[in-house]
Amino acid sequence: MYKILEAEELTTNIYKMVVEAKRTAEACMPGQFVIVRTDENSERIPLTICDYDREKGTVTIVLQTVGASTYKMANLKAGDSFHDFVGPLGRPSELTAESDEALRSKKILFVAGGVGTAPVYPQVKWLKEHGVDADVIVGAKTKDLLILEKEMEEVAGNLYVTTDDGSYGRSGMVTQTIKDLVTEEGKHYDICVAIGPMIMMKFVCKMTEELEIPTIVSLNPIMVDGTGMCGACRVTVGDEVKFACVDGPEFDGHKVHFDEAMKRQQIYKTEEGRAYLAAKEGDTHHGGCGNCN
Amino acid sequence: MDVLKKVPVSEQEAAVRATNFEEVCLGYGKEEAMEEASRCINCKNAQCIKGCPVSINIPAFVEQVKLGDIEKAYEIISESSALPAVCGRVCPQESQCEGKCIRGIKGEPISIGKLERYVADWARENGIVPKVSAEKKGKKVAVIGSGPSGLTCAGDLAKMGYDVTIFEALHEPGGVLVYGIPEFRLPKESVVRTEIENVKALGVKIETNCVGGKSVTVDELLKNEGFEAVFIGSGAGLPKFMSIPGEQANGVFSANEYLTRSNLMKAFDETADTPLMRGKKVAVVGGGNVAMDAARTALRLGAEVHIVYRRSEEELPARVEEVHHAKEEGIVFDLLTNPVEILEDENNWVKGIRCIRMELGEPDASGRRRPVPVPGSEFVIDVDTVIMALGTSPNPLISATTEGLTVDKRKCIIADDENGKTEKEGVFAGGDAVTGAATVILAMGAGKAAAKGIDEYLSGK
């Protein structure tokens, strides 16, 4: 059992939890993820690592409720425990493999959207600890849905917040901010790391392709074991089929086949996909979609 | 009684079992077992033992069954095997012990597998557990993976007095016994869990949720955690696909995914949280045991199921018994048929599989006749689900994070057959991680050999 030390609702449907998980805390690096199960009947849910404390042996996770399993998770309070918590899974961010010198010579831009702000945070923090100030764009639909602003401010070089409805910070999508920074405000970036909803990453990649900024994205497809065994997380990158759990989760965004990845995500993960599955299954549908039980 | 024939074993009727996940084979009762055992002629130079990868003293245990002393029979099996209830169910006996049985020359061999199963089930029902070693060596050994090779290696080392910890990546120990082989062939709660408990009763500790090569590396185990040797039994790993158009459509699964959802995550049970698409018409591509398991699972979940296999029945790699059971249950075999494309609907969900007829040509490197496509013979099978059961390639998680460990062309860890030794000092390996996908019992044999190798290594240290 893995004890939850802190649990907090960051904003509507987004929760942050600090969990006792010694091995993961000791071994994890920015860019990696964990798989968590609430109880012995639960699904294995991949979640991003938002922070970690090697001395205390804790890992901070952030989750967004999307279906029955994540709602069950969100109900847990400090003092409760997860039945299973395994990690770190996936490969560390490629930036962490570079020398401090190489990193300092680069201008790095992070683009975070919604709950994707959580996995961006440990990367920016890690860079800060290695003497690198990275610029960060955080996008949210509206002011109330913005998360981790204060934390990000402490570790980012420049932080640009933008809201779709203009209720806070800049107004508009993250892609607009990228374009403004580069074309209007004289910024130059050598590399961009974008993490957020698949549709956001797709459009960020379109924009950075135009601006000729190499871009890394972090994918969160459907997974079961998270160790390369099931192949559910396969994505097409360039001409190759990759497994996000062992080859990723970070990939060259300009090569990722986003439309296919979004469609593959539907099967159990989105309302639309699950409804379609239920209709297709008809009388053999049994509610395992997480929607109807 | 006809001494040339096996005492028949009762099974759930095909029409009934096709709709449930209860075990297909019901096993012998005591009288049947004793009668079958009495067919054994107790050869002096017993060939059956040579056919067993873990060298169980088969004539000796069969003799005890004949005499009705099942506890003694269990003791004899336990000297060589930690998982008899598993092996009695899933070993390919026809090509191992039973394949060598002298009785088999003129008639049917002794039903060694069913007898082993009977003895192990009897021991479980009567609360008999293997004996614990009194001697303690005071040396720690780490085992990565709790599948057949890891459990066997750990059990043997514990019997010798070593302090053994198994590290398992998933939330449940058992490896392929838990995620791969379905309930109707290998009951999880009664059979697998009990045998794992027996291994634990020998003093073996199991840490779940610990991914070798990720949560902890082999070097960390050796340097920081006080282990003097490490056995890697991490299994086969990454599923293969065909690289044909449409393979990324929704409704195309690897057999690993399909079976893991159903077996490990219990998605066959309607109360489980984990979803599993329940198709109406399913094509399973491949002809091995995993293909049969996936097909028979899909059938039980309510689908019409087709096995699509590019060679003929003779070349099916699956056990004869599995093919026989699958046919009885109503699985359709589309043999000499190879998929060329998966057809998708407008939402990218599977709507069919385009196949081409094959014919057998000259033998290839494997000695089997090579299937060649028949020009112009393409046709479509309407299906909503495609399950790819084409085998796996080794998982790179450990080889990529362990310095000094070498792998071959296929990315399998290089280890000595005799003792499991790898090229890295103190590190041993066995099972599918070394051989590529094979059988439970071969993995157990490798675990056993490695336990001996580790003992020799640590005794000389």
Side-chain angles (χ1 to χ4, degrees):
Chain A
M1 300 293 266
Y2 302 80
K3 198 169 172 192
I4 300 167
L5 302 180
E6 296 168 34
E8 182 192 345
E9 185 173 9
L10 294 178
T11 178
T12 315
N13 294 342
I14 299 183
Y15 299 79
K16 183 176 109 173
M17 294 181 185
V18 179
V19 185
E20 238 173 35
K22 200 164 162 286
R23 284 206 187 272
T24 308
E26 277 172 9
C28 68
M29 290 291 285
Q32 293 185 295
F33 64 95
V34 292
I35 281 185
V36 182
R37 285 206 324 153
T38 306
D39 58 46
E40 44 174 358
N41 202 32
S42 296
E43 264 186 276
R44 294 169 65 90
I45 303 287
L47 295 172
T48 51
I49 295 173
C50 174
D51 204 356
Y52 48 88
D53 187 325
R54 301 213 200 281
E55 272 169 27
K56 289 188 189 144
T58 60
V59 175
T60 305
I61 52 171
V62 168
L63 64 106
Q64 183 165 32
T65 49
V66 285
S69 294
T70 37
Y71 276 107
K72 195 149 89 175
M73 255 173 205
N75 281 332
L76 297 178
K77 305 274 173 286
D80 293 340
S81 293
F82 284 114
H83 197 276
D84 299 288
F85 191 102
V86 59
L89 300 167
R91 296 155 65 113
S93 158
E94 270 178 37
L95 291 172
T96 63
E98 292 189 32
S99 71
D100 291 3
E101 261 178 18
L103 287 172
R104 278 178 210 143
S105 72
K106 274 185 191 160
K107 287 302 289 173
I108 308 171
L109 173 68
F110 284 88
V111 182
V115 73
T117 312
V120 164
Y121 173 72
Q123 300 206 21
V124 181
K125 183 181 172 189
W126 187 92
L127 287 169
K128 171 93 177 168
E129 286 163 2
H130 288 77
V132 181
D133 285 333
D135 284 359
V136 181
I137 300 172
V138 173
K141 274 197 182 119
T142 179
K143 181 176 190 253
D144 294 341
L145 296 179
L146 188 66
I147 59 167
L148 303 168
E149 185 191 8
K150 195 169 65 65
E151 288 86 344
M152 199 68 93
E153 208 151 43
E154 281 168 21
V155 294
N158 298 298
L159 176 64
Y160 308 96
V161 175
T162 178
T163 49
D164 295 2
D165 63 357
S167 54
Y168 187 69
R170 297 179 180 223
S171 177
M173 305 283 179
V174 290
T175 40
Q176 188 59 49
T177 304
I178 299 172
K179 192 172 182 185
D180 290 348
L181 287 175
V182 174
T183 59
E184 309 281 325
E185 298 167 47
K187 292 278 187 179
H188 166 81
Y189 295 107
D190 299 300
I191 187 157
C192 169
V193 179
I195 310 179
M198 206 78 94
I199 189 81
M200 178 204 94
M201 293 191 282
K202 176 183 166 175
F203 283 103
V204 166
C205 287
K206 274 199 165 160
M207 177 60 68
T208 55
E209 217 164 357
E210 269 172 39
L211 301 171
E212 295 179 2
I213 308 170
T215 299
I216 294 166
V217 296
S218 178
L219 302 182
N220 58 337
I222 289 169
M223 288 185 190
V224 185
D225 63 289
T227 64
M229 211 177 72
C230 81
C233 65
R234 59 192 192 276
V235 290
T236 307
V237 181
D239 299 328
E240 287 179 280
V241 174
K242 300 273 190 188
F243 289 180
C245 67
V246 288
D247 301 321
E250 296 192 348
F251 294 105
D252 179 344
H254 294 161
K255 289 189 181 162
V256 170
H257 196 320
F258 282 105
D259 292 341
E260 177 193 285
M262 280 189 272
K263 277 169 183 154
R264 284 191 56 75
Q265 215 178 23
Q266 280 186 357
I267 179 164
Y268 304 120
K269 240 180 163 178
T270 67
E271 291 286 334
E272 195 192 3
R274 285 184 298 221
Y276 192 76
L277 178 65
K280 228 175 144 65
E281 289 182 328
D283 55 1
T284 52
H285 186 66
H286 67 296
C289 65
N291 244 13
C292 24
N293 62 353
Chain B
M1 160 193 180
D2 182 352
V3 293
L4 294 181
K5 286 214 154 120
K6 288 181 176 183
V7 172
V9 68
S10 46
E11 287 175 351
Q12 260 202 88
E13 238 180 277
V16 178
R17 70 180 192 243
T19 61
N20 68 42
F21 277 83
E22 308 289 314
E23 204 176 1
V24 170
C25 174
L26 303 173
Y28 283 146
K30 188 164 184 179
E31 268 176 35
E32 292 164 316
M34 287 172 69
E35 190 183 330
E36 178 63 20
S38 71
R39 293 178 59 228
C40 176
I41 49 177
N42 210 342
C43 308
K44 277 226 168 60
N45 182 14
Q47 296 302 305
C48 52
I49 304 180
K50 293 180 194 159
C52 174
V54 296
S55 310
I56 293 173
N57 189 345
I58 294 164
F61 102 74
V62 173
E63 175 73 12
Q64 293 305 320
V65 176
K66 183 157 71 180
L67 299 172
D69 190 346
I70 314 303
E71 186 167 354
K72 183 84 184 118
Y74 180 69
E75 265 174 40
I76 295 166
I77 297 176
S78 296
E79 282 166 17
S80 312
S81 174
L83 308 170
V86 170
C87 290
R89 287 171 166 82
V90 304
C91 269
Q93 289 99 4
E94 67 270 23
S95 57
Q96 296 177 348
C97 54
E98 294 181 21
K100 304 249 176 183
C101 177
I102 300 300
R103 268 266 181 237
I105 296 172
K106 225 175 102 188
E108 291 180 352
I110 307 296
S111 199
I112 300 166
K114 300 289 185 284
L115 290 176
E116 182 185 25
R117 168 190 162 139
Y118 169 72
V119 170
D121 287 356
W122 182 92
R124 179 182 68 244
E125 283 153 19
N126 289 277
I128 314 288
V129 291
K131 295 204 166 67
V132 181
S133 155
E135 183 202 5
K136 290 278 170 270
K137 304 247 192 200
K139 286 181 176 175
K140 282 170 71 180
V141 180
V143 169
I144 298 179
S146 64
S149 72
L151 286 172
T152 301
C153 185
D156 276 16
L157 287 167
K159 280 189 214 160
M160 295 174 202
Y162 290 98
D163 179 358
V164 187
T165 305
I166 301 182
F167 297 92
E168 167 56 48
L170 294 173
H171 56 265
E172 180 85 33
V176 73
L177 307 176
V178 169
Y179 73 75
I181 304 176
E183 188 71 22
F184 54 85
R185 272 217 296 140
L186 187 63
K188 305 293 162 247
E189 193 60 42
S190 58
V191 175
V192 179
R193 195 166 283 190
T194 309
E195 301 225 311
I196 291 171
E197 285 306 317
N198 284 347
V199 172
K200 281 161 85 176
L202 295 170
V204 172
K205 296 179 275 282
I206 302 182
E207 183 179 332
T208 52
N209 294 323
C210 181
V211 186
K214 286 283 176 190
S215 308
V216 68
T217 63
V218 170
D219 290 301
E220 285 163 352
L221 289 171
L222 290 168
K223 281 186 199 131
N224 309 337
E225 302 202 16
F227 292 98
E228 295 187 50
V230 178
F231 173 75
I232 302 166
S234 53
L238 282 60
K240 289 183 188 157
F241 289 90
M242 294 185 77
S243 305
I244 55 173
E247 218 166 11
Q248 306 294 69
N250 284 338
V252 181
F253 305 99
S254 73
N256 267 5
E257 178 185 355
Y258 196 80
L259 290 170
T260 301
R261 284 182 183 275
S262 181
N263 302 332
L264 174 72
M265 306 311 296
K266 311 262 179 264
F268 72 86
D269 178 347
E270 305 198 346
T271 62
D273 286 354
T274 300
L276 172 63
M277 179 172 159
R278 298 185 172 210
K280 298 275 183 231
K281 201 165 164 187
V282 177
V284 178
V285 183
N289 287 319
V290 174
M292 298 305 140
D293 285 346
R296 296 170 70 197
T297 297
L299 179 96
R300 282 160 172 76
L301 293 174
E304 175 189 326
V305 185
H306 291 241
I307 290 266
V308 175
Y309 180 60
R310 63 195 181 125
R311 301 179 197 250
S312 72
E313 172 145 10
E314 211 173 293
E315 290 85 15
L316 279 172
R319 286 179 64 201
V320 175
E321 185 180 330
E322 304 309 326
V323 175
H324 171 70
H325 279 154
K327 281 187 175 168
E328 273 185 350
E329 289 164 11
I331 306 251
V332 182
F333 282 72
D334 291 324
L335 301 169
L336 290 167
T337 301
N338 204 29
V340 290
E341 182 187 3
I342 293 162
L343 308 172
E344 302 169 51
D345 70 12
E346 64 285 3
N347 289 309
N348 291 77
W349 290 62
V350 174
K351 68 169 188 186
I353 182 165
R354 185 190 303 283
C355 299
I356 189 161
R357 301 267 183 225
M358 308 292 276
E359 57 189 10
L360 294 178
E362 295 300 306
D364 62 12
S366 73
R368 298 180 297 181
R369 291 174 65 193
R370 184 200 304 273
V372 282
V374 178
S377 67
E378 288 190 13
F379 66 104
V380 172
I381 312 175
D382 294 326
V383 293
D384 55 17
T385 307
V386 176
I387 301 172
M388 293 293 182
L390 306 162
T392 56
S393 50
N395 199 316
L397 288 186
I398 292 176
S399 48
T401 55
T402 310
E403 224 166 289
L405 203 62
T406 49
V407 293
D408 66 14
K409 270 204 307 251
R410 300 178 303 153
K411 304 266 172 64
C412 294
I413 297 171
I414 296 173
D416 190 327
D417 287 351
E418 296 282 306
N419 52 28
K421 257 190 194 159
T422 67
E423 304 206 3
K424 185 179 172 74
E425 195 187 334
V427 180
F428 298 74
D432 285 3
V434 170
T435 57
T439 61
V440 168
I441 188 69
L442 285 175
M444 287 177 62
K448 200 168 187 63
K452 221 170 128 245
I454 290 170
D455 181 46
E456 276 159 19
Y457 167 73
L458 292 179
S459 301
K461 230 181 146 178

